[in-house]
Amino acid sequence: RNNTHAHIGEGGHPGRDTSPPFHVEPRNIVEDDVQERVSAEAAVMSSRVSYYSRLTGSSDRLLVPPDHVIPAPEEIYVYSPLGSAFKVHGGDGSAKNPSIVTIFAIWNTMMGTSILSIPWGIKQAGFTFGILILVSVGLLTLYCCYRVLKSPKSIPYVDTSDWEFPDVCKYYFGALGQWSSLIFSLVSLIGAMVIYWVLMSNFLFNTGKFVYSTISVIYLIFLVTLKAFQLGFHLEFHWFHSTEFFVPEFRLFFPQLTGVLTLAFFIHNCIITLMKNNRDQKKNVRDLSLAYLLVGLTYLYVGVLIYAAFPSPPLSKDCIEPNFLDNFPSSDIWVFVARTCLFFQMTTVYPLLGYLVRVQVMGQMFGKPYPGFFHVLLLNVIIVAAGVLVARFYPNIGSIIRYSGATCGLALVFFLPSAVHMVSLRRAGELRWPSILFHSLLILLGVANLLGQFLM
């Protein structure tokens, strides 16, 4: 493997010792205006990489330079045709986030809208059944999100470092997989943006009648705690029948909660993008699990406290609104502050969702995230127009969340991650019946979740 002892015959093929040994000329290093002689080791390393690059085309990953040939980041040089070289500093130059930033970014992205509908969803499912469903859906969606995160790494002999989930689906299922993944991803993102527009319109209206970012979620938790302390708990347990003021613990309307939760725990179309900037890639699974734990605990806290503190009597638990803030008067100063904080939080997350939509749409259609000003302008006009129309004619966020969540959840949470995993195991000869049964059950749950939205 020592190229300094290699001999090259005519035509570039190994031959007899009829030519001089392979030789590496010294190069000059240009750094801070001081020229130095490059070390013999670095020169040989550079020539080795060049040698390997002549053996293979860019599409053939079987003959890429092995790890021991690639120099360490601090030993990488960019060579000019004139024989001088510039040392590369700082790796790829992209900013990497510590785990705590990644965890809270996922937490904030997932919780933007659905948190307001969790108490209503628990009411629709029944208090006890709702809590069980929330925990179960959280665990199932976490597993499916894990499968999405790991899916690019299951593809052998291909550089998938810049792949998104639609690229993985294209690899396994062709254009149908790629575009179905993209379309359902866009439905979820644009659906979330439409919900944000409806809520921003609602909050701005209520704020006007009374005359900044993740902090709003913390304040919302404070508001829920304050209201529960002021109102006290109002609970009676009736397992299978309703009373004048209380709903049963198990209700047939539970698919409405599963639809909401599918979107509430949905980040599958963005998780690869978000995790790429995590500083320690070995901790991705841990950080993802911690983020889901935070989200699940927040949903449980808000949903349980609002449901338990809702004053029954004199009101029935059935009066809990899809947006629980609508159960409080606009003149309530604490709720006014909550609406204001949430409004500003959504104005910060809304552009992030728009960016994710643009990256996925433009990346798949034109090969780059910003093909031109008018392309992006047209996309933004379409998205904003959809939000305005829905806010004007159908501002029911509970129904929007559950329908879009169940539709996208079938494709991007349950079906595609499970199908990709089973196909990758089959190609590796590792697919077994327990895996087939488990992942087929996940797909059936996704189908049942979608059908349930139209039956309830």
Side-chain angles (χ1 to χ4, degrees):
R1 298 193 178 191
N2 189 341
N3 284 342
T4 58
H5 298 291
H7 297 275
I8 307 298
E10 287 185 64
H13 298 287
R16 300 184 220 168
D17 298 342
T18 58
S19 60
F22 182 74
H23 180 65
V24 178
E25 292 290 343
R27 279 104 164 157
N28 291 328
I29 295 297
V30 179
E31 183 177 12
D32 299 328
D33 298 327
V34 177
Q35 289 201 340
E36 301 174 356
R37 303 289 285 181
V38 69
S39 67
E41 180 182 1
V44 171
M45 189 74 74
S46 173
S47 296
R48 283 180 178 175
V49 175
S50 299
Y51 174 72
Y52 276 99
S53 67
R54 294 171 187 264
L55 292 178
T56 176
S58 60
S59 62
D60 188 352
R61 307 302 299 176
L62 290 173
L63 295 175
V64 295
D67 291 341
H68 70 274
V69 171
I70 304 300
E74 63 272 10
E75 295 298 330
I76 296 178
Y77 302 89
V78 177
Y79 288 94
S80 76
L82 300 179
S84 62
F86 293 87
K87 192 169 185 179
V88 178
H89 295 279
D92 61 4
S94 59
K96 296 294 184 180
N97 298 323
S99 291
I100 190 67
V101 174
T102 301
I103 292 170
F104 279 95
I106 298 173
W107 179 63
N108 183 52
T109 303
M110 267 200 282
M111 285 191 5
T113 58
S114 303
I115 190 172
L116 300 175
S117 296
I118 296 298
W120 171 79
I122 290 178
K123 179 259 296 186
Q124 294 299 91
F127 183 64
T128 301
F129 199 25
I131 294 175
L132 295 175
I133 288 176
L134 195 154
V135 174
S136 301
V137 173
L139 292 174
L140 289 176
T141 52
L142 169 60
Y143 173 77
C144 294
C145 195
Y146 166 77
R147 292 265 62 95
V148 172
L149 183 63
K150 289 294 185 181
S151 61
K153 297 179 176 61
S154 66
I155 300 175
Y157 313 125
V158 178
D159 180 10
T160 60
S161 58
D162 60 345
W163 281 28
E164 299 294 338
F165 192 55
D167 300 309
V168 177
C169 294
K170 180 181 180 181
Y171 176 85
Y172 285 110
F173 306 116
L176 177 61
Q178 176 191 17
W179 288 103
S180 61
S181 171
L182 177 63
I183 289 172
F184 285 108
S185 174
L186 294 177
V187 169
S188 67
L189 289 171
I190 296 175
M193 295 181 74
V194 168
I195 295 167
Y196 271 40
W197 194 277
V198 173
L199 288 173
M200 286 190 292
S201 302
N202 176 278
F203 295 156
L204 188 60
F205 173 74
N206 283 283
T207 302
K209 283 171 59 178
F210 183 76
V211 139
Y212 181 162
S213 89
T214 310
I215 301 300
S216 61
V217 177
I218 296 175
Y219 178 80
L220 193 63
I221 295 173
F222 164 76
L223 172 66
V224 169
T225 306
L226 175 66
K227 291 299 180 182
F229 179 79
Q230 291 177 340
L231 298 172
F233 287 173
H234 304 266
L235 288 173
E236 287 184 11
F237 294 91
H238 304 275
W239 297 102
F240 299 107
H241 65 278
S242 299
T243 64
E244 182 180 0
F245 300 108
F246 295 92
V247 297
E249 300 302 297
F250 297 87
R251 301 185 75 185
L252 294 179
F253 296 106
F254 70 89
Q256 297 181 3
L257 175 60
T258 62
V260 169
L261 290 175
T262 307
L263 190 62
F265 286 109
F266 181 73
I267 200 169
H268 301 63
N269 58 335
C270 310
I271 192 60
I272 295 177
T273 302
L274 291 173
M275 282 300 190
K276 280 180 181 178
N277 290 326
N278 200 17
R279 181 177 298 166
D280 191 347
Q281 292 292 304
K282 295 180 180 179
K283 296 179 180 178
N284 277 354
V285 175
R286 184 205 68 177
D287 295 345
L288 177 64
S289 301
L290 289 176
Y292 262 83
L293 177 62
L294 277 178
V295 172
L297 290 176
T298 306
Y299 287 157
L300 276 174
Y301 187 83
V302 172
V304 168
L305 279 191
I306 288 295
Y307 181 92
F310 194 80
S312 304
L315 301 175
S316 170
K317 296 288 188 185
D318 241 344
C319 295
I320 297 177
E321 295 285 343
N323 175 2
F324 77 83
L325 292 179
D326 289 341
N327 284 114
F328 299 96
S330 299
S331 57
D332 189 311
I333 183 61
W334 297 106
V335 177
F336 163 75
V337 174
R339 287 191 174 108
T340 303
C341 291
L342 282 171
F343 175 77
F344 283 106
Q345 187 234 0
M346 290 178 185
T347 61
T348 62
V349 178
Y350 188 86
L352 172 62
L353 296 175
Y355 167 76
L356 295 173
V357 170
R358 175 167 61 82
V359 167
Q360 294 191 16
V361 172
M362 301 303 180
Q364 295 297 323
M365 295 182 65
F366 302 102
K368 50 186 176 180
Y370 195 91
F373 172 79
F374 290 104
H375 298 79
V376 177
L377 176 63
L378 178 61
L379 177 64
N380 290 339
V381 168
I382 293 174
I383 294 173
V384 172
V388 171
L389 291 175
V390 173
R392 171 64 180 85
F393 297 106
Y394 192 70
N396 188 330
I397 68 164
S399 295
I400 299 171
I401 289 174
R402 67 186 183 93
Y403 281 114
S404 61
T407 302
C408 303
L410 172 59
L412 293 176
V413 176
F414 298 107
F415 177 74
L416 285 174
S418 299
V420 164
H421 183 58
M422 286 191 287
V423 171
S424 67
L425 289 178
R426 182 175 178 273
R427 292 187 179 183
E430 300 175 357
L431 184 61
R432 301 292 182 266
W433 279 109
S435 180
I436 295 175
L437 293 175
F438 175 73
H439 292 93
S440 298
L441 177 61
L442 286 180
I443 295 173
L444 290 177
L445 288 175
V447 173
N449 184 34
L450 178 59
L451 295 178
Q453 308 311 312
F454 298 94
L455 298 178
M456 298 297 174

